[in-house]
Every structure is written in C-alpha cells, then in structure tokens.
Amino acid sequence: QTLHELKQRLKEPFAFHSNDNLSANTKNAIHRLLLSFSRNRASVDEILALPSVLKSRSARPEEREELRQCVAAMAHFQTRLSVFQKAAITAIVRHLPAHMLMKQRAVFNALDSHSRGYLSLEELEQAIDRSGIEVPSGLSSIVKGVDSDGSGLVEYTEFLAATIDKNLLVQAPLVRVGFDTFCPPGAP
C-alpha cells in the first residue's frame, strides 16, 4: 500500500468484533494507540500496565518495587492517619490531574485483572503473590483501613488516596479543595 492509502485507512473508525474477549480498558487503549494526534495517544507505560499485557509477561523488578511501595503506602495510610486525614486526602485525590496519578493508575490497572475499578482482598493477595513480593500478614487489616466506604473492596479512588505521594498534596490549590470539602465557601 502507498503511504496515502495507509493514512486513509487510519482515518476510518476502528471497530472490534462482537465476539472478542478484550476488556473495555484494552479496547480503549487500542483506540488511543491509533490516534493520529500524539498528545492523546496512549503511552507505552499505559499499554504495558494493561492486565491483558501483564498476564503475558512476568513482572519486571521496577514493577515489583512499585507494587511493594504501594503496599507499604497502604499500610501507612491505614495505620498512621486519622479518619479526617484519610477523608481529606481522598477529597483532594479526586481533583488531581491525570499526569500526577500515572504511576498509581498503572499499578492499579495491573492489579485490577477484571478491569472493574476495584480490588478485592483476594485479588490483591494473588497479585502480590504473583509478583514475588511477600504478602503482608496484616493485608486484611490494611484493606479494611483503606476501604473508606466499608464495601470490603479497595476502589480506585481509595487506592489512589492510600498510595499517592503525600508531599504532592500540600500545594495550596489542592489543600483548598480538601478544606472546601468540609467547610464549603460561604459556610459559617
């Protein structure tokens, strides 16, 4: 094919077969890989973080280290922060720009093997075990401490709140978001 013909084919919408076994996240990533405007195109890290890609390769040392750091951050979040601090961090995380969450999103997507937006205790245990990291003995307590709504699951926002670098959250506009969550502007 000529370059012109190839460009024309890429302009046509890409469609998946109805009987494919791809998750919504995988389909979205494939669509984003095919975008012509590079700013919106999926990055290599995003593609490598997809569960379907992770299943086909073993965890690299840096991925194991990121997971280990996330588990340690979750344990710290669960044991060392007050309920108020956890709620404030969760409120702030909801307003963070995507570029500040890339590492945590990649780890979460790798753990969320069913692409449901939450992690069960069993999923978390299995993922940690598969990575070669020792499963913490208090993982059940850690999950309960991170689970702010009592669902028994670690939802995406709860995971972000527990694993985000807390030093990123001390920027004035972000602190204001946390403050406004508990004391809306104009409240006495």
Side-chain angles (χ1 to χ4, degrees), residues 2-188:
T2 67
L3 183 58
H4 176 71
E5 290 171 330
L6 183 58
K7 285 181 180 180
Q8 286 303 113
R9 286 196 68 202
L10 288 175
K11 287 182 181 177
E12 298 171 12
F14 183 80
F16 292 95
H17 294 286
S18 59
N19 62 348
D20 65 36
N21 292 334
L22 300 174
S23 71
N25 283 348
T26 301
K27 289 178 183 180
N28 180 44
I30 291 170
H31 277 293
R32 290 189 49 229
L33 271 174
L34 299 174
L35 293 175
S36 58
F37 189 59
S38 63
R39 185 187 294 170
N40 296 332
R41 194 174 307 134
S43 70
V44 171
D45 288 336
E46 288 178 86
I47 299 304
L48 291 176
L50 290 170
S52 54
V53 175
L54 282 173
K55 288 177 191 169
S56 66
R57 61 189 184 91
S58 59
R60 296 185 321 245
E62 60 270 16
E63 291 169 333
R64 281 193 297 276
E65 179 57 22
E66 287 175 359
L67 178 57
R68 190 197 61 70
Q69 288 174 2
C70 283
V71 172
M74 288 170 61
H76 179 269
F77 185 83
Q78 181 263 332
T79 59
R80 297 210 170 96
L81 298 178
S82 70
V83 172
F84 179 77
Q85 288 171 315
K86 291 177 188 179
I89 291 169
T90 302
I92 293 169
V93 163
R94 287 189 173 112
H95 297 279
L96 289 176
H99 73 274
M100 291 178 79
L101 303 170
M102 286 180 62
K103 183 172 98 172
Q104 286 78 15
R105 181 178 35 180
V107 173
F108 184 86
N109 286 340
L111 296 172
D112 184 15
S113 60
H114 301 294
S115 302
R116 297 177 299 198
Y118 60 83
L119 304 169
S120 67
L121 174 61
E122 296 79 32
E123 257 182 315
L124 200 49
E125 284 176 337
Q126 290 169 2
I128 292 170
D129 188 50
R130 271 193 318 268
S131 73
I133 299 170
E134 186 176 332
V135 177
S137 59
L139 187 60
S140 176
S141 296
I142 293 170
V143 167
K144 285 179 186 172
V146 171
D147 174 23
S148 62
D149 64 2
S151 67
L153 304 165
V154 176
E155 295 162 6
Y156 179 65
T157 304
E158 294 167 338
F159 180 84
L160 293 177
T163 59
I164 191 75
D165 179 357
K166 306 310 182 258
N167 294 323
L168 297 174
L169 305 179
V170 295
Q171 301 170 25
L174 295 175
V175 172
R176 185 78 210 173
V177 166
F179 182 80
D180 288 347
T181 299
F182 302 103
C183 186

